[in-house]
Amino acid sequence: MRWQGQKVGDVDSGALPGLEDRSSVLRTVTTPDFAGMTFHEVLSKSALNHVPGASRMPFAWTINPYRGCSHACVYCLSPDTLILCGDGRQRPLRALEIGDEIIGTERQGHYRRYVRTTIQAKWMTRKQAHRITLADGTEIVASGDHRFLTDRGWKYVTDADSGQRPHLTMNNRLVGFGIGAAGASVDLSSIDYRRGYLSGMIRGDGMIFHGTYPSATRVREIHSFRLALIDPEALDRTRRFLDEEGVPTRTRPFTRASETRSAADAIHSAAKRHVETIRSLITTPGSPTADWHAGFLAGIFDAEGSCSRGILRISNKDADIIARIEQGLSAFRIPHIVETERPNGVVTVRVIGGLPSRQRFFAICSPTITRKLSLEGTAVKSVADLTVIDITPLEGEQDLLDITTGTGDFIANGVISHNCFARGTHEYLDLDGGADFDSQIVVKTNVVEVLQKELRKGSWQHETVALGTNTDPYQRAEGRYRLMPGIIDALAASGTPMSILTKGTLIRRDIPLLVTAAQRVPVDIQMSIAMYDDELQKAIEPGTPTTQARIDTVRALRDAGFRVTVFLMPIMPHLTDSVEALDTALRRIKEAGASRVVYGALHLRAGVKPWFMQWLGEYRPDLVSSYRGLYPGVSAEAPKGYRQWLAKRVRPLIRMHGLDAEHEDDYPVRGIRSSAPHGRPAPAVAAPAAPAQPMLF
């Protein structure tokens, strides 16, 4: 495995002073992907760890593919950054969720091409940011650690605080299509946009008829409006817009599907006043606004436009419609040409300027037919001038987000952006439980191969194996090393039940594999979600997935058929133990579809307490004296009196929300049901003991 920009050092005999067999250290790696972190890639002699005092635990074995935790995220973009989604539209990063389809890139043959991918994880943090300005007017707000693809490879926004790394400089050229400078503001909910869309759509593809029909006894007036389309998105938008104008319509089938054509539905009206209203609505106003122009272009594109091989065209015979198309494109400075009239009288307006112009049209006008917006398979070519002309640090700290994707990248404000990848135990290596736990990550690169050998031994009794009781198996480093799929497959193939505890949303990547595993062995899954206040969660878990992202992960696991347990721990005195806080937490847990809750008060072990007290002194200095009284000594758990008080407060709330409950003190001595997908038989599997909250920092 080789990461761009990584530095591979010789084995340092002092790098891991507590490791007994230092010859097992393969190499020490620092990589720009994880600025400030050092990965110690080791060959492990064993994968299965026997738990001391197993007679007091419901499991006797654990697997820890990592030591330390890389959840301290370093990338990040402004939440307002526009991300290119799988349907061809751009949406703010803040609005996206795990599982959403977006566009990334991958190399296919000689070219890098745009491909569909999914969001596998999402993080939030707060740190200093920089504004990068490109020659075409595109602006991007990102942390100094974020990377973008340039014509000279991947580069960070700024140089490293210490040492050197490839970073952006003036005249570097980013890769993508950009979004240009902010142009005319268009209100897609305005009356003018709505009427512009109706004008473009109905003039382009609708039918309005006023006439008479004489019979033997009388002359009947005929008034009719009809719009027939194969794309329900455009038909639904037109129906909705007409309804908002006080014009109801009826829907009926228009044509059936055949081998040569698609099925089409139609909306229609035969009421004279409604048909006359429609005719009035589609009339061009004397002085069209920007909103009207945008709506008209969207409507006529949905009706008569195409985007074949990346070339956007709109065709029609009506000279006035062609003039309105030209006028609208010129108003938004979208370059175009009018092609020579064909023998049949059809004239085509073609947008020029490649992908930047095409995406600008879509972003401004917002047509609704998804199939016409797709970028999949298009080669990545930089036609726009995406030269860096300014990088300005912003004052103070900014709320920033980042995501992990299946391709390792995504499109942010029209340029290709690299994505983010997904304490006490460090002391056995003579590393501390604070900064070292976040920055010195031990990776057992051969854990899958060793595990497979151990599971083949005749002495193996197929006892439950727990993952996540020490460090998170789905921390961000797993996005690169991908050790968990092999571990899951090896355990399932050997007939070994497994239990996974994580706070990492990257587990969603492996849901199909877990479903398959659960058909062979009991699989128990727990999600750790302790903080339900966004500000507190960002303060105490700055690099972890958001609470909502983890709640959504519980829901995804539940939808896949798993009965998920949520670890509501640690509950922190004076911070998360109020009735309101607990009720909110349990309501969200229940709504996500969890079956069970394990709760417990904060423990402060010797390796964690100094770091927690340091954090508390900065975040809530008013609580320091109270915590010193509750947690005296070097290592302490919450006093018995507090734990009893907490149980009396929590248990009624848990029952009220219809959840099964366990206190951490009771949890280790009981088994729980397998969380195998519903409808699949699975024997009871013992749950893991509640961890001593190793993932607090």
Side-chain angles (χ1 to χ4, degrees):
M1 180 181 297
R2 185 80 181 179
W3 299 341
Q4 181 161 346
Q6 76 178 24
K7 294 182 180 179
V8 181
D10 295 332
V11 175
D12 181 359
S13 61
L16 300 170
L19 192 66
E20 293 182 3
D21 182 9
R22 284 190 285 275
S23 65
S24 66
V25 182
L26 284 177
R27 60 183 183 174
T28 296
V29 179
T30 58
T31 169
D33 288 347
F34 293 87
M37 292 184 186
T38 299
F39 290 90
H40 305 284
E41 297 182 357
V42 304
L43 291 178
S44 179
K45 292 184 176 180
S46 63
L48 292 163
N49 308 301
H50 192 261
V51 179
S55 61
R56 295 181 287 106
M57 299 287 186
F59 63 94
W61 301 91
T62 66
I63 300 173
N64 294 298
Y66 304 98
R67 294 286 186 178
C69 188
S70 55
H71 270 315
C73 186
V74 297
Y75 284 12
C76 304
L77 293 163
S78 164
D80 297 323
T81 304
L82 294 177
I83 307 302
L84 183 61
C85 297
D87 62 5
R89 297 175 174 86
Q90 298 188 84
R91 297 183 177 87
L93 179 55
R94 70 168 75 250
L96 301 181
E97 300 295 341
I98 295 168
D100 286 350
E101 287 193 332
I102 62 171
I103 297 295
T105 72
E106 67 179 18
R107 189 167 293 280
Q108 297 177 358
H110 297 294
Y111 295 98
R112 181 184 290 270
R113 296 185 181 275
Y114 295 103
V115 297
R116 193 178 293 247
T117 186
T118 58
I119 297 176
Q120 298 178 344
K122 184 177 180 181
W123 284 272
M124 177 181 293
T125 190
R126 186 173 178 83
K127 63 197 304 183
Q128 185 184 17
H130 298 72
R131 177 178 287 107
I132 305 103
T133 304
L134 309 181
D136 76 328
T138 298
E139 292 187 348
I140 313 163
V141 174
S143 72
D145 297 307
H146 204 87
R147 286 200 294 164
F148 296 98
L149 185 60
T150 75
D151 54 358
R152 297 186 177 182
W154 291 102
K155 289 195 174 186
Y156 290 85
V157 173
T158 62
D159 203 356
D161 293 334
S162 60
Q164 294 182 332
R165 64 185 182 186
H167 63 281
L168 296 178
T169 58
M170 299 306 106
N171 297 321
N172 279 157
R173 185 185 175 100
L174 271 58
V175 176
F177 49 83
I179 58 172
S185 177
V186 173
D187 182 359
L188 302 181
S189 63
S190 70
I191 294 175
D192 282 355
Y193 179 87
R194 181 171 72 221
R195 292 181 177 178
Y197 184 87
L198 291 172
S199 180
M201 170 56 71
I202 294 172
R203 291 184 66 184
D205 223 1
M207 184 276 291
I208 294 178
F209 176 76
H210 290 284
T212 59
Y213 180 76
S215 66
T217 57
R218 62 185 179 125
V219 176
R220 297 173 55 193
E221 290 188 352
I222 304 297
H223 305 279
S224 177
F225 159 73
R226 185 189 69 209
L227 176 68
L229 298 171
I230 64 171
D231 295 285
E233 298 155 306
L235 199 65
D236 289 345
R237 177 185 275 191
T238 305
R239 181 194 301 110
R240 186 177 75 253
F241 281 179
L242 286 173
D243 190 61
E244 290 171 359
E245 294 286 354
V247 179
T249 58
R250 295 182 179 180
T251 304
R252 65 186 180 193
F254 185 70
T255 58
R256 294 181 178 180
S258 69
E259 294 182 358
T260 58
R261 66 184 181 185
S262 301
D265 287 336
I267 57 173
H268 68 100
S269 175
K272 177 180 179 180
R273 68 181 185 279
H274 292 154
V275 177
E276 289 177 345
T277 299
I278 293 172
R279 184 180 290 279
S280 175
L281 288 171
I282 66 175
T283 302
T284 303
S287 299
T289 64
D291 288 356
W292 191 92
H293 280 309
F296 182 85
L297 290 173
I300 194 64
F301 177 77
D302 279 344
E304 301 280 61
S306 65
C307 198
S308 176
R309 295 179 138 182
I311 301 174
L312 192 154
R313 297 181 177 91
I314 307 174
S315 302
N316 202 275
K317 290 184 177 182
D318 189 319
D320 184 67
I321 289 178
I322 297 299
R324 297 303 168 199
I325 295 170
E326 285 191 89
Q327 187 179 14
L329 293 173
S330 297
F332 296 120
R333 298 182 180 179
I334 298 173
H336 61 280
I337 62 172
V338 179
E339 297 179 350
T340 303
E341 181 178 330
R342 300 177 202 166
N344 62 358
V346 173
V347 176
T348 297
V349 180
R350 173 162 51 91
V351 171
I352 60 176
L355 196 52
S357 298
R358 165 184 161 182
Q359 292 304 115
R360 181 171 172 80
F361 177 93
F362 292 154
I364 291 173
C365 303
S366 192
T368 192
I369 298 178
T370 299
R371 65 178 174 83
K372 297 184 179 183
L373 309 181
S374 176
L375 266 181
E376 288 184 80
T378 302
V380 175
K381 298 179 180 179
S382 294
V383 179
D385 188 355
L386 303 181
T387 303
V388 177
I389 61 173
D390 185 61
I391 302 175
T392 302
L394 303 180
E395 293 186 7
E397 294 185 335
Q398 310 286 322
D399 287 330
L400 301 173
L401 295 170
D402 214 330
I403 54 179
T404 293
T405 73
T407 57
D409 63 4
F410 55 96
I411 316 304
N413 278 6
V415 297
I416 299 176
S417 165
H418 207 286
N419 74 187
C420 187
F421 297 111
R423 301 196 178 271
T425 56
H426 252 37
E427 293 171 359
Y428 86 104
L429 299 174
D430 288 355
L431 300 172
D432 68 53
D436 282 346
F437 185 75
D438 289 336
S439 62
Q440 304 288 327
I441 313 299
V442 178
V443 184
K444 301 175 183 178
T445 57
N446 66 331
V447 67
V448 175
E449 292 79 5
V450 174
L451 175 63
Q452 291 170 335
K453 292 179 181 178
E454 292 176 339
L455 295 174
R456 285 196 294 266
K457 293 181 179 179
S459 59
W460 177 241
Q461 298 298 308
H462 307 282
E463 300 172 83
T464 299
V465 172
L467 297 103
T469 61
N470 201 340
T471 56
D472 198 331
Y474 282 104
Q475 58 180 279
R476 290 185 301 120
E478 170 63 16
R480 275 295 192 178
Y481 285 99
R482 297 182 65 88
L483 300 177
M484 283 298 292
I487 292 172
I488 293 168
D489 186 64
L491 291 172
S494 70
T496 300
M498 69 190 81
S499 176
I500 301 172
L501 169 64
T502 182
K503 64 171 62 174
T505 54
L506 194 56
I507 192 175
R508 293 180 70 161
R509 177 198 68 191
D510 292 343
I511 286 178
L513 185 60
L514 289 166
V515 169
T516 300
Q519 294 173 344
R520 307 174 72 176
V521 298
V523 177
D524 190 69
I525 301 175
Q526 303 97 34
M527 177 65 64
S528 174
I529 317 177
M531 313 296 164
Y532 295 79
D533 177 276
D534 291 341
E535 292 302 318
L536 179 61
Q537 193 266 337
K538 285 189 288 185
I540 201 167
E541 299 178 324
T544 60
T546 64
T547 298
Q548 186 59 50
R550 281 181 263 179
I551 286 287
D552 291 341
T553 300
V554 172
R555 184 174 289 108
L557 287 162
R558 178 66 179 81
D559 290 344
F562 290 96
R563 291 186 287 269
V564 183
T565 297
V566 171
F567 274 55
L568 180 60
M569 54 192 298
I571 296 175
M572 303 169 66
H574 311 302
L575 289 171
T576 62
D577 62 353
S578 69
V579 171
E580 180 182 5
L582 293 169
D583 182 64
T584 297
L586 292 166
R587 174 180 53 78
R588 294 178 69 181
I589 291 169
K590 179 63 176 179
E591 289 174 350
S595 300
R596 192 184 188 91
V597 172
V598 177
Y599 70 94
L602 174 68
H603 291 227
L604 289 178
R605 293 174 295 121
V608 172
K609 185 176 180 181
W611 300 101
F612 176 82
M613 296 304 292
Q614 177 182 336
W615 170 85
L616 189 67
E618 296 171 356
Y619 183 76
R620 287 294 301 272
D622 57 309
L623 295 180
V624 170
S625 60
S626 176
Y627 270 74
R628 284 175 177 164
L630 281 169
Y631 296 94
V634 176
S635 177
E637 63 178 352
K640 183 177 181 180
Y642 176 81
R643 286 181 281 128
Q644 292 175 336
W645 172 86
L646 182 64
K648 291 179 181 178
R649 170 165 287 192
V650 175
R651 284 184 177 275
L653 291 172
I654 292 176
R655 287 195 296 270
M656 182 181 73
H657 286 283
L659 292 159
D660 293 334
E662 290 288 355
H663 186 275
E664 60 172 326
D665 291 343
D666 302 325
Y667 194 62
V669 296
R670 298 188 185 179
I672 72 170
R673 297 172 299 174
S674 167
S675 61
H678 304 321
R680 301 185 182 107
V685 54
Q693 297 153 12
M695 295 182 286
L696 183 61
F697 284 99

